[in-house]
Amino acid sequence: MAPALQVTVKKRCCKSDPRCKRCPVVAKRLAAVGLAQRTGRRTYVVDAPKKAIRRARRFKAKRIDL
């Protein structure tokens, strides 16, 4: 697994498909399954494999499988 990254998310989601890596929706999805931790208002520490991040970026991701 890659080392944890501190990510500052954008203010708004642009709703593109697939969502960008700095999208607040992607960070929230990763935090919901325990792969990211919120450290501030717009900052997260993401400790997730690439496969989980790719899954979270999908437009209609219902759950993140590893």
Side-chain angles (χ1 to χ4, degrees):
M1 194 176 316
L5 296 175
Q6 183 165 0
V7 178
T8 302
V9 297
K10 301 186 307 182
K11 287 185 179 183
R12 286 209 158 135
C13 173
C14 59
K15 298 180 184 174
S16 64
D17 187 26
R19 296 185 190 273
C20 63
K21 293 177 184 176
R22 291 183 52 227
C23 181
V25 175
V26 172
K28 188 174 180 178
R29 286 177 182 169
L30 291 171
V33 295
L35 296 175
Q37 185 176 15
R38 192 171 190 169
T39 57
R41 185 166 177 237
R42 288 180 32 214
T43 58
Y44 288 82
V45 174
V46 178
D47 189 22
K50 283 185 176 182
K51 187 174 184 180
I53 295 172
R54 194 177 319 129
R55 177 74 177 151
R57 290 177 63 200
R58 289 185 56 187
F59 186 64
K60 294 195 178 197
K62 295 198 176 171
R63 64 174 193 221
I64 300 171
D65 295 326
L66 296 177

